[in-house]
Amino acid sequence: MPGPGYLNSDRLLIKGGRIVNDDQSFHADIYMEDGLIKQIGDNLIVPGGVKTIEANGKMVIPGGIDIHTHFQMPYRGTTTVDDFAQGSKAALAGGTTMIVDHVIPDPGCSLMAAYDQWRQWADEKSCCDYSLHVDITHWNDSVKQEVENLIKEKGVNSFQVYMAYKDYYQMSNSELYDIFTFLAERGGIAEVHAENGEIIAEEQTRMLQMGITGPEGHVLSRPEELEAEAVFRAITIASQTNCPLYVTRVMSKSAADIISQARKKGHVVFGEPITASLGTDGTHYWSKNWAKAASFVTSPPLSPDPTTPDYLNTLLSSGDLSVTGSAHCTFSVAQKAIGKDDFTQIPEGVNGVEERMTLIWDKAVTTGKMDENMFVAVTSTNAAKILNLYPRKGRIAVGSDADLVIWDTDSIRTITAKTHNSATEYNVFEGMELRGAPQVVICQGKIVLEDGNLHVTSGVGRFIPCSPFPDFAYKRIKRNNIVNLAVLRAVPRGMYDGPVSEFSMSRGGTPSASARNSPTKQPVRNLHQSAFSLAGPPTPDDIPIRPAGRRIVVPPGGRSNITTLS
Amino acid sequence: MSDCRRQWNREDELPVYLAGPINTGPNQKKTYGMFSSVEGAFESKTIDFDNYAVGRKGSRTPRSGSRERVLDAREGSLTNSTGETDDAHPGVEVRYSSGKEIPNGESERLLIKGGRVVNDDQSLYADVYIEDGLIKQVGENLANGRMVIPGGIDVNTCLMKHYLGTQPADDFLQGTKAALAGGTTMIIDHVTPAPGESLLEAFECWQEAADKKACCDYSLHVDIPQWNEIVKDELELLVQEKGINSFQVYMAYKDTYQMSDSQLYEAFSFLKQLGAVVLVHAENGDLIAQEQRKILGMGITGPEGHPLSRPEELEAEAVFRAITLGNRVNCPVYITKVMSKSAADTIAQARRKGSVVFGEPITASLVTDGSHYWSRNWAKAAAYVTSPPLSPDPTTPDHLNTLLACGDLQVVGSAHCAYSTSQKAIGKDDFTLIPEGTNGVEERMGFVWDKAVAMGKMDENQFVAVTSTNAAKIFNLYPRKGRIAVGSDADIVIWDPYSVKTITAKLQQSASEYNIFEGLECRGGPVLVLSQGRVVYEEGKLQAQQGTGRFIPRKHFPDYAYQRVKFRNQVKKQQGVTRGLYDGPVYDVVPTPKYITPAPSAKTSPISHQPPPIRNLHQSNFSLSGAQLDDNIPRRSGHRIVAPPGGRSNITSLG
């Protein structure tokens, strides 16, 4: 029920707080009006009728941005139990004031139609601001056109592709190359679900043959190496196409290591660990309780290595991993039980949108790995920068949206499904005691959480469009483009006019090439269309065209040592 | 031990006493002091050879025709007891005990005196007595002489790899001559069937050609150009009847040789069952195809387009993927042609994590770099074209030599595949058509010495390991090849660490016009090369005989690669969890079509409407009735997961 403060909440003053941004912390009051931060400073002059919140020296941080959710996601005729209302409510309860959901069109379906559908669902129900990623589940010219329109007109700048889910979502290397090239030209961010789908398919078959049908088969058939391999490949493709890469759901140490190595080599790549990978591990897949084991099923799976969460928190603190999501995608036990006889049928997803901020505070800040500014960076600022929403979101500054959280560093609470706001029966963090929690949450300039009471209104969430070419990723990309072009230059040479041995293009001349069974054409190029030309190279100005005396002298037909010419 | 014996080619020609490399007499358990070099070195001197001649097929080696010759490897002048002397070079003394010169003797009795025998594990001063192409005795001496090392094994040559209907300039004759001149006494050539061609036919074709022409022993790898059921049968036949234990798969050459990850997985699994070594050409072919298109589109058609379209990242990526596949299948992986630092580092890291992976740098990548692709001389630039390309990073050779020295890379091949300039010119207007291959079979041993041993990175034993022993172990030729020991083949090189020569195409044995090492100085080289117990190279003179090379069959399951794999197989048996049957509510899934979602109307492709990989639940073999781990545990009747049907409930308390 709306309390008295709620009615006057259009004008809000937070007094005596310590503002924590990603770059600095300082003491100041914040005045908000019409959902925007209007003033920051001491002794602010504010109009009457202002609801004042005493922060008592507590931290005031930008509201969290959960960059990865799956609310109301359709799955084989059912939907996840948390719809946009339930999900965003849980988000707000955890101090997250904006979510970015994934639009997942069925392969073959229109991206635009799916986008409209998701917009409709979210506009109806969402309690906080939201943005959308669109997943590219198939690739052809019409999809290309749709992606272009989504970037230009619909405010989507990030697109996820899949390297897993063979024969369904999975893209080939060539398609990935095309997509990345396309996105790099249009200023999009390529997000990638990195797992080697082909090997997974083989491993799944093997596991089922061995008689392993329970949830442990999920992690056995998707070992972390396959995640690391796909991450490595994605980075290679992204660096070839010079496209910024965003790896969703970093679940294992080896995948995280690959990302941090790549960053050290200068690649533009961002890694997103999720609440689950930062908070728990994959040992639960071996639980004797099927329902419990199944509730941890997500892809890539949680690593059975119990040191993984600590390691990922360390890399998050050092900046090797950039942002955190929750990949919140909850199914009821009955839904998970679709796969009770076959682990490959278990719907994938774990909870985490509500626990995300608290968990990172507990695992990274209170352990001394991370300072409060970095905490802000990984929970909101970096996400805002990647989505090109900064400084509207992810920062407490004059003119920014009034999405903020008064953070209580001392509170301790125990996570349990009995008290969480998600609709799912099972919480993967069940029983964990976590320090740090939001005390007051302000979303769109309105108090939504105060004194433990949640006051949310379904449908007030606005769609926040993201524009292409975010500086955070593209400044370096643009520079790289210039550098790369300088390298890619033809060597001006005299024409080779020596003997050319006879050859047969079709390879038909070889002793027994007759049995070719594939009609695929050899990658033979039309020499007449070959663009070799001395007049053509990018910048031929500085080089004299065709040095007159430069000929490669080889007596026609004869063998001679032409080594002396070099 | 029994495995060792079974791998021998002509068992009947082997001495009956041969159970191991050196152990011979009943005194073999006797321990010698730490300064004693070879077990059994002494008693072997007392062997009565006529005893061992029993049961041997003597047709090849009529004893009447055999002669005994002494090679004196002491530092000193070379003298020949027949009167021919060559005092210009200090070094090897050649003597025939019979005093007669045999120009073309099928078999000789040879004694190498006063040399320092260098194996991969130790060096010792010893004389080596050779008869009938086998080492019969190794005995300690106290002389300080030249290095006597096992003849080199070049694990990667392509002497018959036809390209668009043309053959490489070096065939088995020319190529093996070059090999012998460089101190390599065995090559393993790649059989490269065209896609669609029978592996077996290709193998026979290669074997026939090699038998006619090869001057040194050889073996064959078979490349797998595509994956299907017929290939599987052929592979089985090749492994079990033809003595092939290594097969190459390609991750590059899209639409021709390239295999998908699924095919690779299947191929790895299959080859593992056969006990073969999987060789991988590791480059990401999909991306190369894209890059080639891009580079050609930019108007770059010269050889510089080759490295530009095949950046080393693509090599490293494929190496990483191959190793991942190898780990999953638990199968040894051998990466051919390691050309770049990042690929080598990937291998080194994987080995540190316990993967069974071997890396093979080649002569070219250990010596030169890819800066020459930008040469203004088209013919020169094209001569360097090979795949993966030489890295343009000039620090690459040094790095690879370091990794070779420390054991992160194991064997050195040459990938010798020499095409003449006119053949290279097939791609004069389009770099993608330039036939790929560089020379290196002749220079291999010399340059490993020059770049690694002479630089202080590597010792002489490691030199032997990377040039012959490791190769012999990986491909199951050890200790017949790759070691100087009693019973081993008499493929021996007397090595001069101080000789210096300048590489030039004018003096090489290879038939190609261009040598990519042109003008480089190389320290170290063979003084004398013995192949099958015969002197084939001596002081710069080659006396190779066409057709003397034998095909050496190789048994499957080489210990060096497979021992660890076998143990891992036992460790890795994964176990399911036995649970009570889930009997809670189950959400009804619409059976078909699988995906009833709001907007299925806009389907464009009929193929993409494939249902997800859904398994038939009825065929799922989850059952509590079969033999289970907990069979001995009484069924707990009270174990039920209580969830009210359809209702939401917190069942967390069950955990």
Side-chain angles (χ1 to χ4, degrees):
Chain A
M1 279 295 101
Y6 185 76
L7 295 171
N8 299 328
S9 64
D10 262 8
R11 292 172 175 182
L12 273 177
L13 179 68
I14 299 178
K15 275 186 85 75
R18 192 159 55 87
I19 297 174
V20 179
N21 276 323
D22 69 319
D23 53 346
Q24 59 173 354
S25 312
F26 55 96
H27 288 274
D29 300 343
I30 306 165
Y31 173 67
M32 288 160 274
E33 196 181 321
D34 301 329
L36 293 177
I37 297 170
K38 294 289 186 181
Q39 297 179 56
I40 293 176
D42 297 328
N43 307 316
L44 299 176
I45 302 161
V46 297
V50 173
K51 152 101 179 167
T52 302
I53 304 166
E54 284 293 339
N56 296 323
K58 288 212 163 68
M59 283 169 59
V60 182
I61 59 172
I65 300 175
D66 188 336
I67 197 164
H68 188 165
T69 64
H70 295 277
F71 295 155
Q72 216 163 329
M73 188 186 84
Y75 176 81
R76 294 170 67 183
T78 142
T79 45
T80 51
V81 291
D82 286 324
D83 61 5
F84 275 96
Q86 197 78 40
S88 58
K89 186 179 160 193
L92 288 168
T96 295
T97 55
M98 176 173 180
I99 56 130
V100 189
D101 206 74
H102 276 270
V103 175
I104 309 181
D106 277 325
C109 296
S110 154
L111 269 58
M112 200 58 90
Y115 166 85
D116 289 339
Q117 178 66 67
W118 254 260
R119 278 292 304 273
Q120 190 199 331
W121 286 336
D123 282 339
E124 269 170 20
K125 291 186 173 171
S126 181
C127 310
C128 66
D129 288 349
Y130 71 96
S131 251
L132 295 172
H133 308 288
V134 175
D135 294 4
I136 299 174
T137 47
H138 59 129
W139 186 244
N140 55 37
D141 283 341
S142 77
V143 173
K144 229 180 211 182
Q145 192 55 48
E146 287 188 320
V147 169
E148 177 132 28
N149 291 342
L150 284 165
I151 293 176
K152 280 190 179 152
E153 294 158 21
K154 300 293 184 178
V156 176
N157 78 353
S158 45
F159 296 85
Q160 172 159 311
V161 291
Y162 292 86
M163 298 169 83
Y165 305 109
K166 192 184 176 191
D167 297 334
Y168 198 55
Y169 294 142
Q170 187 177 320
M171 296 282 165
S172 71
N173 291 337
S174 306
E175 285 170 326
L176 291 173
Y177 187 98
D178 279 342
I179 294 170
F180 286 14
T181 310
F182 185 81
L183 289 176
E185 284 165 8
R186 306 299 191 281
I189 304 275
E191 300 186 309
V192 59
H193 176 114
E195 278 185 296
N196 189 319
E198 302 213 355
I199 305 182
I200 288 172
E202 302 280 348
E203 292 282 52
Q204 284 180 337
T205 316
R206 194 163 69 92
M207 289 302 149
L208 290 170
Q209 276 169 1
M210 289 169 74
I212 298 176
T213 58
E216 70 277 10
H218 180 72
V219 65
L220 290 175
S221 64
R222 302 177 102 105
E224 68 175 78
E225 288 180 282
L226 305 190
E227 186 191 350
E229 187 282 315
V231 170
F232 196 97
R233 186 150 42 100
I235 289 170
T236 306
I237 300 173
S239 102
Q240 284 311 304
T241 53
N242 199 18
C243 175
L245 181 74
Y246 179 105
V247 180
T248 60
R249 291 195 263 206
V250 176
M251 304 301 278
S252 66
K253 288 161 87 166
S254 40
D257 278 340
I258 302 278
I259 292 171
S260 81
Q261 276 170 28
R263 287 174 66 90
K264 282 180 185 91
K265 286 183 189 158
H267 296 301
V268 182
V269 53
F270 307 105
E272 168 210 280
I274 66 168
T275 323
S277 61
L278 292 168
T280 182
D281 60 52
T283 51
H284 305 283
Y285 291 119
W286 281 267
S287 166
K288 289 264 180 185
N289 179 343
W290 189 91
K292 182 182 176 189
S295 71
F296 286 83
V297 169
T298 186
S299 284
L302 289 156
S303 168
D305 178 351
T307 62
T308 304
D310 192 56
Y311 192 80
L312 294 182
N313 277 294
T314 306
L315 289 191
L316 188 63
S317 310
S318 68
D320 282 358
L321 299 173
S322 312
V323 288
T324 52
S326 66
H328 189 88
C329 180
T330 45
F331 291 97
S332 68
V333 172
Q335 287 171 320
K336 290 269 184 187
I338 294 170
K340 73 186 168 67
D341 299 320
D342 177 353
F343 65 85
T344 64
Q345 302 301 307
I346 301 172
E348 295 168 353
V350 291
N351 64 304
V353 70
E354 187 173 354
E355 298 81 4
R356 188 179 65 102
M357 306 268 289
T358 296
L359 194 120
I360 294 166
W361 185 268
D362 182 83
K363 299 283 177 195
V365 186
T366 63
T367 53
K369 287 180 194 289
M370 188 187 273
D371 60 25
E372 57 194 25
N373 304 100
M374 193 66 183
F375 174 71
V376 170
V378 299
T379 54
S380 63
T381 311
N382 288 350
K385 285 179 176 171
I386 290 171
L387 295 167
N388 224 353
L389 298 172
Y390 188 80
R392 178 178 179 184
K393 301 281 187 191
R395 185 168 185 84
I396 298 178
V398 174
S400 297
D401 279 2
D403 288 351
L404 26 99
V405 172
I406 298 177
W407 191 258
D408 181 1
T409 57
D410 302 323
S411 102
I412 295 181
R413 61 177 177 149
T414 305
I415 305 292
T416 164
K418 288 177 186 118
T419 57
H420 72 194
N421 286 284
S422 162
T424 179
E425 302 111 308
Y426 221 100
N427 191 314
V428 293
F429 310 104
E430 188 73 33
M432 278 191 192
E433 263 192 17
L434 299 179
R435 284 155 290 182
Q439 188 173 34
V440 177
V441 176
I442 296 162
C443 180
Q444 298 179 359
K446 296 184 175 61
I447 298 174
V448 292
L449 176 77
E450 195 180 15
D451 305 326
N453 298 317
L454 207 52
H455 319 284
V456 298
T457 319
S458 197
V460 297
R462 301 163 297 183
F463 173 73
I464 312 286
C466 306
S467 51
F469 294 108
D471 274 351
F472 195 56
Y474 268 91
K475 260 185 185 162
R476 284 179 288 165
I477 295 287
K478 284 173 187 165
R479 177 54 54 188
N480 287 348
N481 272 331
I482 297 166
V483 175
N484 289 354
L485 270 182
V487 177
L488 293 174
R489 283 167 71 175
V491 176
R493 294 189 176 88
M495 209 80 111
Y496 174 85
D497 48 7
V500 179
S501 53
E502 283 185 22
F503 61 100
S504 54
M505 267 310 200
S506 64
R507 289 197 189 205
T510 51
S512 52
S514 53
R516 283 190 63 82
N517 45 16
S518 152
T520 332
K521 280 187 70 176
Q522 298 293 317
V524 165
R525 295 178 200 293
N526 183 341
L527 296 186
H528 299 295
Q529 288 181 3
S530 164
F532 184 84
S533 147
L534 284 173
T539 48
D541 312 354
D542 49 333
I543 302 146
I545 293 173
R546 177 97 201 224
R550 174 164 275 275
R551 287 170 57 89
I552 295 163
V553 186
V554 179
R559 181 195 155 199
S560 76
N561 283 316
I562 60 158
T563 51
T564 49
L565 278 171
S566 61
Chain B
M1 262 329 141
S2 57
D3 263 2
C4 287
R5 296 198 58 179
R6 263 188 278 115
Q7 77 176 358
W8 297 82
N9 180 17
R10 294 174 174 99
E11 212 171 322
D12 49 351
E13 287 185 20
L14 281 176
V16 278
Y17 65 86
L18 182 71
I22 294 166
N23 299 338
T24 48
N27 295 334
Q28 62 182 14
K29 288 204 177 78
K30 184 173 152 192
T31 52
Y32 298 93
M34 68 181 292
F35 297 104
S36 157
S37 316
V38 182
E39 274 184 62
F42 298 99
E43 67 263 27
S44 66
K45 288 185 169 170
T46 62
I47 288 171
D48 179 0
F49 289 100
D50 290 330
N51 285 349
Y52 305 124
V54 177
R56 205 186 301 149
K57 279 179 190 164
S59 58
R60 263 184 86 243
T61 58
R63 297 186 64 83
S64 58
S66 65
R67 298 293 188 275
E68 202 166 280
R69 186 185 175 200
V70 176
L71 303 173
D72 194 340
R74 274 175 298 205
E75 301 290 345
S77 65
L78 182 143
T79 55
N80 196 315
S81 61
T82 56
E84 296 171 39
T85 55
D86 184 356
D87 288 334
H89 304 278
V92 183
E93 186 174 351
V94 185
R95 281 199 305 255
Y96 291 89
S97 64
S98 65
K100 279 192 281 176
E101 182 78 48
I102 312 162
N104 290 320
E106 275 272 303
S107 161
E108 294 171 0
R109 297 188 198 167
L110 280 175
L111 180 63
I112 302 174
K113 271 183 81 81
R116 188 156 50 93
V117 172
V118 180
N119 275 322
D120 67 317
D121 52 348
Q122 62 176 0
S123 308
L124 59 121
Y125 296 104
D127 296 342
V128 181
Y129 176 69
I130 297 157
E131 192 183 320
D132 295 339
L134 294 176
I135 296 169
K136 294 288 165 122
Q137 295 182 66
V138 177
E140 204 182 25
N141 65 36
L142 294 171
N144 181 18
R146 287 204 192 282
M147 285 172 59
V148 178
I149 59 173
I153 300 175
D154 189 337
V155 284
N156 188 348
T157 63
C158 299
L159 301 177
M160 249 182 83
K161 186 179 179 183
H162 40 70
Y163 176 79
L164 299 180
T166 70
Q167 291 282 343
D170 286 333
D171 61 3
F172 273 105
L173 171 62
Q174 210 70 44
T176 52
K177 273 165 80 177
L180 289 170
T184 296
T185 54
M186 174 168 184
I187 60 160
I188 309 184
D189 201 74
H190 277 274
V191 176
T192 48
E197 198 182 340
S198 154
L199 267 57
L200 215 54
E201 281 171 25
F203 164 75
E204 277 157 6
C205 166
W206 252 256
Q207 199 184 17
E208 193 188 331
D211 278 337
K212 269 187 209 149
K213 291 182 177 172
C215 312
C216 66
D217 286 352
Y218 71 96
S219 194
L220 296 170
H221 306 294
V222 177
D223 294 7
I224 305 175
Q226 76 268 309
W227 189 249
N228 54 42
E229 290 303 317
I230 305 164
V231 168
K232 276 187 182 177
D233 294 340
E234 290 185 324
L235 289 178
E236 207 161 339
L237 204 72
L238 283 168
V239 168
Q240 278 160 9
E241 289 171 28
K242 300 292 180 183
I244 303 292
N245 73 359
S246 51
F247 299 91
Q248 173 154 307
V249 294
Y250 290 88
M251 299 172 81
Y253 306 107
K254 193 179 178 190
D255 297 334
T256 48
Y257 293 123
Q258 186 178 325
M259 288 195 198
S260 72
D261 287 357
S262 303
Q263 288 172 327
L264 289 172
Y265 186 98
E266 281 177 30
F268 280 37
S269 308
F270 188 77
L271 291 173
K272 178 195 169 188
Q273 282 170 11
L274 294 179
V277 178
V278 183
L279 317 182
V280 180
H281 177 112
E283 279 186 296
N284 189 318
D286 287 342
L287 299 188
I288 288 170
Q290 298 270 10
E291 291 287 333
Q292 285 180 336
R293 209 170 302 145
K294 187 174 98 186
I295 299 286
L296 285 172
M298 293 172 79
I300 300 175
T301 57
E304 69 276 13
H306 184 71
L308 288 175
S309 64
R310 303 177 102 106
E312 67 175 76
E313 287 179 286
L314 304 192
E315 186 191 350
E317 188 280 317
V319 168
F320 195 94
R321 189 148 40 99
I323 292 170
T324 307
L325 277 157
N327 287 347
R328 285 331 299 157
V329 177
N330 187 22
C331 158
V333 175
Y334 177 103
I335 310 288
T336 57
K337 294 198 257 193
V338 175
M339 304 299 279
S340 66
K341 285 163 85 168
S342 41
D345 285 342
T346 306
I347 293 171
Q349 275 172 27
R351 287 177 64 86
R352 231 142 269 164
K353 286 180 188 162
S355 304
V356 184
V357 55
F358 306 105
E360 166 208 285
I362 64 169
T363 322
S365 63
L366 289 171
V367 178
T368 182
D369 60 54
S371 53
H372 303 284
Y373 291 119
W374 279 264
S375 165
R376 293 240 173 177
N377 179 344
W378 190 92
K380 181 181 176 188
Y384 287 82
V385 170
T386 186
S387 282
L390 288 156
S391 168
D393 178 350
T395 62
T396 304
D398 193 55
H399 187 77
L400 294 183
N401 277 295
T402 306
L403 291 193
L404 188 65
C406 76
D408 282 353
L409 300 172
Q410 291 72 36
V411 282
V412 183
S414 66
H416 188 91
C417 185
Y419 290 103
S420 67
T421 299
S422 63
Q423 286 173 317
K424 291 269 183 185
I426 291 170
K428 72 189 169 67
D429 298 320
D430 179 350
F431 65 87
T432 63
L433 293 174
I434 300 173
E436 294 168 351
T438 56
N439 62 302
V441 70
E442 185 173 352
E443 299 82 3
R444 188 180 69 101
M445 305 268 289
F447 272 120
V448 174
W449 186 271
D450 181 77
K451 298 286 175 190
V453 188
M455 299 294 284
K457 287 180 195 289
M458 190 186 269
D459 61 25
E460 58 191 23
N461 303 100
Q462 179 75 356
F463 172 72
V464 169
V466 300
T467 53
S468 64
T469 312
N470 288 351
K473 285 178 176 170
I474 293 172
F475 297 111
N476 227 355
L477 295 163
Y478 191 81
R480 177 176 181 182
K481 301 280 185 189
R483 185 169 184 86
I484 296 180
V486 174
S488 297
D489 277 3
D491 287 353
I492 290 175
V493 171
I494 297 180
W495 189 258
D496 179 2
Y498 304 111
S499 82
V500 177
K501 71 168 175 173
T502 305
I503 306 292
T504 166
K506 286 172 190 131
L507 300 175
Q508 72 187 3
Q509 295 293 332
S510 163
S512 65
E513 303 109 308
Y514 221 99
N515 190 314
I516 60 167
F517 311 110
E518 187 73 33
L520 291 177
E521 279 201 348
C522 176
R523 282 162 291 180
V527 182
L528 183 137
V529 179
L530 289 180
S531 171
Q532 300 174 17
R534 290 185 311 104
V535 177
V536 290
Y537 176 85
E538 191 174 355
E539 295 294 324
K541 278 173 290 183
L542 202 59
Q543 304 157 2
Q545 257 183 306
Q546 185 171 346
T548 51
R550 301 166 298 182
F551 173 74
I552 311 288
R554 294 171 289 136
K555 292 285 280 185
H556 52 137
F557 289 111
D559 272 352
Y560 194 64
Y562 267 94
Q563 218 166 45
R564 286 178 286 169
V565 166
K566 282 174 189 166
F567 277 107
R568 282 176 203 194
N569 271 342
Q570 292 163 14
V571 176
K572 270 197 171 174
K573 287 212 174 96
Q574 275 133 347
Q575 215 105 57
V577 176
T578 44
R579 301 187 172 84
L581 211 49
Y582 174 85
D583 50 5
V586 179
Y587 200 93
D588 258 342
V589 189
V590 190
T592 48
K594 264 53 181 194
Y595 276 78
I596 295 195
T597 42
S601 55
K603 288 253 184 250
T604 47
S605 147
I607 307 135
S608 57
H609 191 45
Q610 288 293 327
I614 282 173
R615 306 191 188 284
N616 184 344
L617 296 187
H618 299 292
Q619 287 180 0
S620 166
N621 43 9
F622 181 85
S623 153
L624 285 173
S625 56
Q628 299 263 337
L629 254 197
D630 61 346
D631 275 348
N632 48 346
I633 305 165
R635 195 75 44 85
R636 289 158 297 173
S637 58
H639 194 271
R640 286 171 56 90
I641 294 162
V642 186
R648 182 197 155 195
S649 74
N650 284 316
I651 60 158
T652 51
S653 52
L654 279 172

